[in-house]
Amino acid sequence: MIDIDIALEKVLNRAKINDNVRVPILESLGFVIAEEIYANDTIPPFDKSAMDGYAVKYIDTIGSTKVDPNLLNLVGEVPAGHPSDYQLKSGEALKIMTGAPIPKGADAVLRKERAHLKGNQIEVLVEVSKGKDICPAGEDVEKGELIFSPGTKITPAVVGMLATLGYDEVTVYRQPEVAILATGDELVDINDDLKAGKIRNSNTYSIAAQVKTYGGKPKILGIGRDKLTKLKEKIKLSLESDILITTGGVSVGEYDLIQDVYKELGIDILFKKVAMKPGKPVTFGVYNDKPVFGLPGNPAAAMVGFEIFVRPTLLKLMGQQDLKFKRVTAKLKESVEKKKGRRHYLRTILTRKDNENFVSKAGTQGSGVLHTFANANSLAVVPKDIEYLAKGSEVEVLTLDKWF
Ligand SMILES: Nc1nc2c(c(=O)[nH]1)N[C@H]1C(S)=C(S)[C@@H](COP(=O)(O)OP(=O)(O)OC[C@H]3O[C@@H](n4cnc5c(N)ncnc54)[C@H](O)[C@@H]3O)O[C@H]1N2
Ligand code: MOO
């Protein structure tokens, strides 16, 4: 049995970042920029008003108060999108709207509510300083500035920045396609009859949902039956995808054929047993540089195997730099007992009270119990060589925040 951290290192060492594609910016959300993005313009391109009010010379407001206001002549207006050619002179004001270009001669904006309109004049109720309520040109971005480097994750604000900078498309690392094959003679699909000895195939759907959660594109290959030739044929078809996942058939049963199939197809197996629970029989291989994961059939084991090994692989292919889980330390709300030798990932509920994190089991921890996972929001880590943790002990917890 290989140690989890060593196993993960082997996986990530073999995972290669994807090639890149150009996509419309709205389709780039969640992906990673694969080019340098420079500003072709200064943003904002002109000094603009931050408030609705009056463009003035600040000097004309000096000494002005509510009780003894200075008077300025109103000589016109500047709406947003309509620059004025007027050269403001001393003793004058121009009505100005938020976002409108500051006219020549003006050096401050007096907010509407800080002036009194009296016919063709305004009373200045307060002094304003030079530059007051003006957003200077280049406040956001200077022309020629490097704005984003390869590796930047595209968030809603990044999409907005790309639009501001005039990019309608952006180059990103290509979305990985992840082929998923569930194996087992006992499996039927969602709408099929549950005849004796049969169970519904849930792995295909939970794993495909995990793939989507982390930004991949699932390719569902359906159910493969426990026959070497049939499995070989199905798997062969899917070796074009960026990642291949099979579930089931990796333990030591007579019909657990996955490892034989991998070998016959020329998939180089790097490990087939990991010191973790659930997920001990997680198998990892490489075919033409493509990662191949044989996840266990047990639904919770398959999903934990995905989170620990496939998730960071998928993120790496997508060009992401931070492959780690968000982790917190939390106090156990109950004691935990286990055998030495494997690191356990408990399906848990993480809560916060009075500035402290607490964690409790989401239910029974059998590798086949999926319901518990559906109630969980985190995985608490119980180290390999620990046998007992008392209530109140501190544990490391991986948050599944991307699920929510
Ligand atoms: N003698 C031993 N038996 C087992 C060992 C072992 O070390 N010695 N390991 C156990 C562990 S740990 C696990 S985990 C499982 C993994 O087994 P497989 O990957 O071979 O999975 P299967 O036997 O095909 O299925 C296990 C279980 O999960 C159900 N299943 C399978 N596929 C699906 C699916 N797509 N959707 C829902 N449920 C699925 C299946 O019916 C079984 O109940 O092996 C232990 N055995
Ligand atoms: O590794 Mo298995 O998932 O312990 O049941």
Side-chain angles (χ1 to χ4, degrees):
M1 259 197 303
I2 184 172
D3 177 82
I4 299 177
D5 299 326
I6 296 171
L8 183 56
E9 209 179 296
K10 277 186 192 280
V11 172
L12 292 178
N13 278 342
R14 300 301 293 263
K16 293 221 163 64
I17 198 163
N18 265 2
D19 49 350
N20 47 50
V21 283
R22 271 191 92 66
V23 291
I25 55 170
L26 251 191
E27 280 165 37
S28 74
L29 187 66
F31 294 99
V32 175
I33 296 182
E35 62 175 329
E36 286 183 332
I37 299 283
Y38 286 92
N40 297 319
D41 306 289
T42 292
I43 311 288
F46 48 85
D47 291 349
K48 64 176 188 178
S49 178
M51 296 288 162
D52 295 311
Y54 304 94
V56 297
K57 285 183 183 293
Y58 88 96
I59 211 116
D60 288 346
T61 70
I62 300 301
S64 200
T65 63
K66 249 185 215 167
V67 279
D68 187 16
N70 297 352
L71 285 176
L72 299 176
N73 294 325
L74 199 54
V75 291
E77 67 169 23
V78 200
H82 301 278
S84 164
D85 286 337
Y86 193 80
Q87 168 88 37
L88 195 81
K89 293 183 275 299
S90 189
E92 293 179 342
L94 273 164
K95 197 182 250 183
I96 194 162
M97 314 304 153
T98 302
I102 300 294
K104 282 175 275 187
D107 56 14
V109 169
L110 174 69
R111 295 183 193 189
K112 198 174 176 178
E113 55 275 31
R114 294 176 184 168
H116 231 150
L117 187 59
K118 272 203 155 174
N120 282 340
Q121 289 192 310
I122 58 165
E123 288 180 345
V124 178
L125 306 181
V126 295
E127 282 185 4
V128 290
S129 53
K130 190 169 183 182
K132 179 74 181 162
D133 285 329
I134 293 177
C135 306
E139 177 187 56
D140 200 343
V141 160
E142 290 290 351
K143 184 173 178 169
E145 206 181 313
L146 175 64
I147 307 299
F148 299 122
S149 300
T152 304
K153 181 147 183 222
I154 302 176
T155 62
V158 172
V159 171
M161 274 308 293
L162 290 167
T164 285
L165 297 169
Y167 289 81
D168 63 348
E169 288 187 337
V170 61
T171 305
V172 299
Y173 297 107
R174 187 173 51 74
Q175 180 181 37
E177 182 181 87
V178 184
I180 303 162
L181 177 69
T183 72
D185 276 357
E186 74 278 33
L187 303 179
V188 297
D189 216 334
I190 300 177
N191 293 316
D192 296 338
D193 283 345
L194 264 189
K195 294 201 181 107
K198 304 288 181 187
I199 57 160
R200 288 194 189 96
N201 166 23
S202 62
N203 286 347
T204 292
Y205 299 94
S206 50
I207 300 293
Q210 284 174 300
V211 168
K212 285 177 93 167
T213 297
Y214 295 111
K217 187 173 162 202
K219 181 179 173 192
I220 291 175
L221 304 174
I223 299 168
R225 299 301 169 196
D226 294 334
K227 281 243 162 38
L228 201 74
T229 44
K230 289 227 166 111
L231 285 175
K232 256 173 80 176
E233 271 167 35
K234 281 236 172 189
I235 291 179
K236 216 171 178 175
L237 287 177
S238 57
L239 286 168
E240 279 156 29
S241 296
D242 297 299
I243 296 177
L244 166 66
I245 297 175
T246 61
T247 73
V250 284
S251 61
V252 294
E254 307 283 312
Y255 301 98
D256 289 336
L257 302 168
I258 284 297
Q259 281 144 10
D260 295 340
V261 173
Y262 282 10
K263 275 184 217 145
E264 289 203 14
L265 286 171
I267 298 169
D268 186 17
I269 298 179
L270 276 78
F271 59 81
K272 49 190 181 185
K273 243 187 206 167
V274 187
M276 68 190 280
K277 187 179 168 72
K280 180 177 73 182
V282 167
T283 298
F284 173 68
V286 177
Y287 181 83
N288 281 348
D289 273 346
K290 288 185 188 160
V292 180
F293 296 91
L295 300 179
N298 273 319
M303 290 190 76
V304 170
F306 183 99
E307 291 296 327
I308 303 304
F309 293 108
V310 188
R311 173 191 167 279
T313 306
L314 184 61
L315 299 183
K316 183 162 179 194
L317 263 61
M318 289 171 69
Q320 291 205 29
Q321 289 170 348
D322 184 7
L323 308 179
K324 293 222 162 78
F325 265 105
K326 201 174 132 198
R327 289 153 201 264
V328 299
T329 304
K331 277 192 174 153
L332 276 172
K333 280 175 135 181
E334 61 201 302
S335 63
V336 169
E337 248 179 290
K338 75 177 226 346
K339 286 198 195 117
K340 274 190 184 178
R342 291 200 266 166
R343 182 191 297 167
H344 285 207
Y345 290 101
L346 304 176
R347 282 150 269 159
T348 46
I349 300 171
L350 178 70
T351 49
R352 196 166 167 80
K353 198 180 170 203
D354 301 331
N355 273 334
E356 254 196 303
N357 296 321
F358 294 92
V359 73
S360 56
K361 285 187 199 164
T364 52
Q365 300 287 323
S367 302
V369 181
L370 190 53
H371 188 182
T372 320
F373 218 159
N375 290 336
N377 63 2
S378 53
L379 292 168
V381 182
V382 189
K384 192 167 150 189
D385 292 323
I386 294 284
E387 284 182 305
Y388 179 78
L389 287 173
K391 179 180 170 179
S393 311
E394 288 203 325
V395 286
E396 186 184 46
V397 182
L398 314 179
T399 73
L400 295 169
D401 53 338
K402 281 274 177 196
W403 286 22
F404 296 94

